[in-house]
């Protein structure tokens, strides 16, 4: 890796910061103001172009309402040899990075338990390319 290539860990942490910021509905500018930064600096952190210092990482985690470790969640051994792999599967991580996935994740806890099961069944049917049972045409 040359000096201009962002470290995969910095990129991962930046993605997690962006994911949480978006989940909270914060703009880069608003997050930057709360941290005493410019929005350009937040952009650089989110891209992994600039490394986040320990003190700034602490402030970001506090501002976003997460534990510092949450910003490393899902880090894979491919990103950095010798780093333990723990956290959600890559699919869950990738899904949460999409706008629709983040929206579903934010709404899911507010859905009553019985309807959650229906939502999971619907998602399975859609993923399999079939119509959900309640929408299928009669034979």
């Amino acid at each position: 890796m040359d000096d201009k290539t962002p470290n995969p860990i910095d990129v991962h942490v930046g993605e997690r910061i962006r994911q949480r910021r978006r989940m909270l509905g914060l703009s880069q500018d608003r997050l930057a103001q709360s941290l005493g930064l410019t929005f350009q600096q937040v952009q650089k952190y989110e891209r992994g172009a600039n490394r986040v210092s320990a003190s700034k990482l602490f402030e970001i985690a506090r501002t976003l309402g997460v534990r510092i470790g949450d910003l490393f969640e899902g880090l894979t051994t491919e990103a950095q040899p010798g780093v333990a792999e723990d956290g959600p599967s890559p699919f869950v991580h990738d899904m949460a990075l999409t706008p629709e996935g983040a929206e579903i994740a934010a709404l899911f806890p507010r859905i009553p338990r019985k309807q959650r099961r229906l939502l999971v069944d619907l998602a399975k049917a859609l993923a399999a390319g079939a119509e959900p049972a309640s929408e299928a045409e009669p034979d």
Side-chain angles (χ1 to χ4, degrees):
M1 178 173 11
D2 63 39
D3 289 340
K4 294 183 182 183
T5 303
N7 184 295
I9 295 174
D10 297 328
V11 172
H12 178 85
V13 169
E15 287 174 355
R16 297 288 293 167
I17 291 168
R18 179 176 43 251
Q19 174 190 359
R20 180 64 179 168
R21 176 184 59 76
R22 286 180 173 172
M23 189 177 286
L24 295 173
L26 290 174
S27 67
Q28 287 179 331
D29 191 50
R30 188 156 173 205
L31 177 59
Q33 287 175 358
S34 68
L35 297 169
L37 302 171
T38 64
F39 80 91
Q40 292 95 338
Q41 185 63 44
V42 170
Q43 284 178 329
K44 289 177 183 180
Y45 286 160
E46 289 185 356
R47 284 193 327 262
N50 283 8
R51 189 166 286 160
V52 183
S53 70
S55 59
K56 198 55 72 177
L57 191 62
F58 180 85
E59 288 180 48
I60 290 169
R62 187 185 61 195
T63 301
L64 297 177
V66 296
R67 296 172 301 136
I68 292 172
D70 293 338
L71 299 175
F72 293 89
E73 188 174 296
L75 190 62
T76 62
T77 53
E78 289 82 36
Q80 185 70 24
V83 175
E85 185 173 339
D86 60 351
S89 71
F91 171 77
V92 172
H93 182 257
D94 291 346
M95 187 278 270
L97 289 177
T98 67
E100 300 86 359
E103 187 174 5
I104 288 171
L107 294 171
F108 196 79
R110 296 179 12 208
I111 299 171
R113 189 169 303 279
K114 185 176 180 182
Q115 282 75 26
R116 287 182 192 180
R117 184 74 253 159
L118 294 171
L119 182 59
V120 170
D121 292 342
L122 172 63
K124 284 181 182 178
L126 291 172
E131 292 186 35
S134 62
E135 297 291 323
E137 295 178 9
D139 291 349

